[in-house]
Amino acid sequence: MAYALFSPTVGQLDPFDEAAPARGTSHLTKLGSAAATPDVPALPSKPPRVVWLFGDQNDFLDDPDAPLPSWLCAFQLIRDVGAKLRSERDRARAIIQQSQSVIQTTTARVKKADLRAEVAATSAAIAVLRADRAEVRARLAEERAQQAEDQARAAQGDEKEAQLVLRRLHADLTSKRDGLMMAPEQAVRF
């Protein structure tokens, strides 16, 4: 058995159409039935803009003596669909909130990672400056050590020269002393 729902959003029957349901009657009707009730007029075989809820349109046309639909079941179906839509809407909201939370957490982590990267870059730049300064100090110390070595070599050369001068002086003084110490007969008298 097939049932159709006439909805203002899906489509409306022409109010001047004889086949349209009368005002104040339910929009959920059994199609194609030639019911004798005054509230439910007979509808044409192919009504315009109809949403079929159960079965097929031909089910109504084949059996005009079929019983009227169970309105309680139809209402329960509508309630169930509404409840399902509300639960899906709530689920979608929860997913959106969870997604926003994940996005916020990820954004915070990215900001922290950026901050750590900046700190690391600054620390690396400071380390490079310290290394450059240490290299300059090492080069200056090496130059000072080279100067000290050159001065030590020069001092060794001066020391050797001074020793040579002192040896000559010592030799001269020794030879003069020996000359003065000669025998008294060879000494010159004044």
Side-chain angles (χ1 to χ4, degrees):
M1 182 168 269
Y3 296 97
L5 177 66
F6 294 94
S7 169
T9 58
V10 175
Q12 295 177 346
L13 294 177
D14 185 3
F16 300 105
D17 188 3
E18 293 177 9
R23 288 190 179 268
T25 61
S26 173
H27 294 301
L28 186 62
T29 63
K30 178 180 173 191
L31 297 178
S33 67
T37 60
D39 290 346
V40 182
L43 296 176
S45 63
K46 293 185 180 179
R49 301 173 286 190
V50 173
V51 176
W52 294 97
L53 295 178
F54 308 104
D56 188 11
Q57 172 185 3
N58 294 329
D59 291 345
F60 290 113
L61 300 176
D62 293 342
D63 187 13
D65 295 328
L68 290 175
S70 171
W71 296 109
L72 293 177
C73 292
F75 292 146
Q76 185 61 41
L77 176 67
I78 292 170
R79 284 187 197 111
D80 291 346
V81 169
K84 182 70 173 171
L85 287 174
R86 284 190 294 279
S87 70
E88 290 300 318
R89 183 190 61 212
D90 293 342
R91 184 172 162 256
R93 284 181 182 164
I95 289 172
I96 289 171
Q97 288 175 351
Q98 183 181 10
S99 299
Q100 288 174 345
S101 173
V102 168
I103 289 170
Q104 289 173 351
T105 303
T106 304
T107 303
R109 287 180 181 171
V110 167
K111 286 180 182 180
K112 287 179 183 179
D114 286 344
L115 182 61
R116 284 194 301 265
E118 287 177 17
V119 169
T122 304
S123 298
I126 290 171
V128 167
L129 287 176
R130 287 179 183 168
D132 288 344
R133 287 179 186 165
E135 186 178 333
V136 168
R137 284 190 213 128
R139 196 172 352 145
L140 290 175
E142 187 178 325
E143 288 175 4
R144 279 188 245 135
Q146 187 65 35
Q147 287 175 354
E149 245 179 66
D150 292 343
Q151 288 174 353
R153 281 190 208 122
Q156 281 180 347
D158 289 345
E159 183 182 352
K160 287 181 183 178
E161 188 178 328
Q163 284 178 359
L164 185 61
V165 169
L166 285 176
R167 282 186 194 147
R168 284 186 196 154
L169 181 63
H170 184 267
D172 276 347
L173 287 177
T174 305
S175 69
K176 286 185 183 180
R177 182 190 65 157
D178 286 344
L180 287 175
M181 301 281 281
M182 292 186 195
E185 29 200 75
Q186 296 175 351
V188 180
R189 295 190 181 211
F190 296 103

